[in-house]
Structure formats: structure tokens, C-alpha cells
């Protein structure tokens, strides 16, 4: 058995061996062979990483507490520290077939999770189902942020350039943080391309996903939440991307 994920294209001359996976939004060129147990992704698709063992892929039971995402934000001084929430409550598991992390709670339910770290802080997002991705960055302007904006689409740069100077760096930071959260929710790395995620204003002071891989249809059903959180005197911008409609707490 092989698997072609969401909105991926395979040519009739391609061969997918048993246990191979073609990732989301990927295009497999003519004449390619996906070896057994490998995962390919991108456009054009390229080998990304070995598949996790089948033993690490338990089936997803019916979720409880639907439409709810928990955000756990806490100080972090040691990279190896475990989230307090994980102590006796959640057990991190291997990734699913899309490369996204999962966890099991004390009642045996398999949950979608996403994590991120910044200087002095870390965040954990937990949802009963769906695709979620979380990221956070310190709230401050930087030259690195300005340089990173070169990876944005012309429409995104035009939007930020049209804003008053004090709002430009915050919008650039929001775009970067949301794009990273989206990549995590999709189970993709930077090789997928920041330009595959087109963002714009939602008309209410926030950001919405306008196109995914150039398609408005693929962008439907995604929601983006931005929030500023204070931890030990520092302010961080938190971005949460979700493919369903759970509420963030």
C-alpha cells in the first residue's frame, strides 16, 4: 500500500512502491520511482525523509472536546526541559505520515500537537484533531527580519510598504511567524517554499491565508490566530494556524 496525500499529482509513468508516501501539495515528475518506505514532497517532489515505523502510527480515535485548542506557554531556560503539561498528562509520539508530531493523553486519545521555541520561552499547542501549527517570535524589530522579508511575495511586501513605519516591522514579523506556523501545520519544511503560502489582511486587523500553492481553493478552511503574550517581562508574538475551526485558549 502506498499513499498520495492531499492535492498531489502523480503521472501515469510514475511508480510508487509499497509503503511510499507523496506529501501534500507535491508534484511527481514523469518516470520517477518512490522506493519502499520513503517519503517525497515538494514541487517537483524530492525524497525528504524515511517513513516512521508502522508501530508509531496508531489509528486516531474519535476526538473529544471538539473545537478546542490549548496553548501552553511557559519559560524555558534549558533546551532539554520537558513541558510541564507533558509530566503525567501527555506522552509525545512519533510523527504521523505527514511528518507532524502527535501525543497521547492519559485516556489513550491521540492528539495533534505543535511546538515552538524562542529565547527564554516555549509553546505547545494541543488539539483533538485537525492540522495545527504554532510559532512564536520576540516582539522587536531586527535587520534579520528585514532581510527575511525578501522571501515574501510581491503582494505581501507591497502591503507592508503601504503601512506607517511603526506598523511595518510588526506586520513583517506577523507574516514570518504565520508562514512558519503554516509550514508546521502542513508537515512541510522550508524547502516547500515560503512563496507557496500567500497571506494578506483580513480586513479586521489580522491576517488570512489567501492562496496555498497559488490556489484559493486550497486555502479554504484554514484559520489564523495572532496574539501577543508576555512571559517574564518579554513580549512574544504567537501565531496559530489550523485547518479546522477549533477555538484557541
Amino acid at each position: 500500500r502506498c499513499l498520495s496525500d492531499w492535492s498531489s499529482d502523480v503521472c501515469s509513468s510514475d511508480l510508487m512502491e509499497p509503503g511510499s508516501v507523496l506529501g501534500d501539495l507535491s508534484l511527481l515528475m514523469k518516470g520517477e520511482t518512490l522506493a519502499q518506505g520513503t517519503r517525497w514532497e515538494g514541487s517537483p517532489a524530492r525524497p525528504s525523509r524515511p517513513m516512521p515505523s508502522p508501530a508509531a502510527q496508531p489509528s486516531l480515535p474519535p476526538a473529544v472536546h471538539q473545537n478546542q485548542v490549548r496553548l501552553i506557554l511557559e519559560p524555558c531556560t534549558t533546551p532539554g526541559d520537558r513541558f510541564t503539561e507533558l509530566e503525567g498528562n501527555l506522552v509525545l509520539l512519533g510523527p504521523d505520515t505527514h511528518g507532524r508530531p502527535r501525543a497521547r493523553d492519559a485516556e489513550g486519545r491521540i492528539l495533534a500537537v505543535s511546538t515552538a521555541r524562542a529565547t527564554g520561552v516555549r509553546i505547545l499547542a494541543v488539539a483533538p484533531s485537525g492540522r495545527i501549527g504554532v510559532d512564536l517570535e520576540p516582539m522587536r524589530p531586527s535587520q534579520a527580519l528585514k532581510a527575511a522579508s525578501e522571501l515574501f511575495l510581491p503582494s505581501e511586501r507591497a502591503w507592508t510598504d503601504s503601512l506607517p513605519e511603526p506598523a511595518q516591522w510588526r506586520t513583517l514579523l506577523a507574516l514570518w511567524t504565520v508562514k512558519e506556523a503554516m509550514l508546521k501545520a502542513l508537515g512541510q519544511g522550508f524547502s516547500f517554499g515560503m512563496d507557496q503560502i500567500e497571506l494578506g489582511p483580513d480586513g479586521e486587523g489580522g491576517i488570512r491565508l489567501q492562496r496555498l500553492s497559488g490556489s484559493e481553493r486550497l486555502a479554504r478552511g484554514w484559520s489564523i490566530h495572532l496574539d501577543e503574550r508576555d512571559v517574564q517581562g518579554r513580549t512574544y508574538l504567537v501565531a496559530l494556524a489550523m485547518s479546522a475551526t477549533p477555538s484557541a485558549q
Side-chain angles (χ1 to χ4, degrees):
R1 179 178 176 272
C2 57
L3 176 64
S4 177
D5 284 345
W6 178 58
S7 295
S8 295
D9 291 324
V10 180
C11 297
S12 58
S13 59
D14 296 325
L15 174 63
M16 295 183 66
E17 295 182 350
S20 61
V21 171
L22 180 63
D24 290 345
L25 304 169
S26 298
L27 172 63
L28 197 59
M29 304 304 287
K30 291 182 179 179
E32 294 281 11
T33 298
L34 275 65
Q36 181 175 359
T38 59
R39 176 184 175 86
W40 290 46
E41 56 191 356
S43 182
R46 293 289 183 268
S48 56
R49 55 182 173 270
M51 288 291 297
S53 65
Q57 303 173 31
S59 59
L60 191 67
V64 296
H65 307 303
Q66 280 285 3
N67 302 326
Q68 188 176 89
V69 173
R70 294 189 62 198
L71 293 177
I72 299 123
L73 186 67
E74 60 184 33
C76 173
T77 56
T78 304
D81 284 351
R82 287 170 54 86
F83 281 94
T84 304
E85 180 71 15
L86 296 181
E87 297 294 344
N89 294 317
L90 297 177
V91 176
L92 288 178
L93 305 175
D96 64 12
T97 55
H98 304 278
R100 296 183 294 262
R102 302 161 306 145
R104 184 178 62 245
D105 67 10
E107 298 180 19
R109 294 183 295 258
I110 307 301
L111 308 174
V113 299
S114 182
T115 64
R117 293 175 182 268
T119 303
V121 69
R122 59 190 171 187
I123 191 167
L124 170 70
V126 183
S129 62
R131 302 177 179 205
I132 63 169
V134 71
D135 195 58
L136 80 164
E137 296 289 344
M139 286 287 296
R140 62 171 182 262
S142 69
Q143 288 301 116
L145 179 62
K146 192 70 174 178
S149 68
E150 295 300 316
L151 299 174
F152 296 164
L153 291 163
S155 61
E156 295 166 339
R157 293 198 298 270
W159 172 32
T160 57
D161 290 343
S162 70
L163 299 173
E165 183 66 31
Q168 288 186 12
W169 72 265
R170 187 192 183 284
T171 304
L172 288 175
L173 182 64
L175 288 170
W176 178 267
T177 310
V178 169
K179 283 175 181 273
E180 285 213 67
M182 279 295 305
L183 288 175
K184 293 178 182 180
L186 291 167
Q188 301 283 355
F190 281 105
S191 61
F192 179 72
M194 287 283 196
D195 58 352
Q196 299 297 305
I197 301 167
E198 183 176 349
L199 304 172
D202 64 1
E204 300 178 356
I207 289 179
R208 72 179 183 93
L209 179 63
Q210 294 184 322
R211 294 178 182 84
L212 191 56
S213 293
S215 170
E216 293 183 1
R217 179 181 63 83
L218 295 179
R220 294 172 189 161
W222 286 91
S223 59
I224 293 168
H225 298 266
L226 287 166
D227 193 18
E228 294 180 17
R229 300 287 183 97
D230 292 326
V231 178
Q232 295 186 335
R234 293 180 177 176
T235 303
Y236 299 86
L237 182 64
V238 176
L240 178 67
M242 303 177 292
S243 64
T245 57
S247 59
Q249 290 190 341

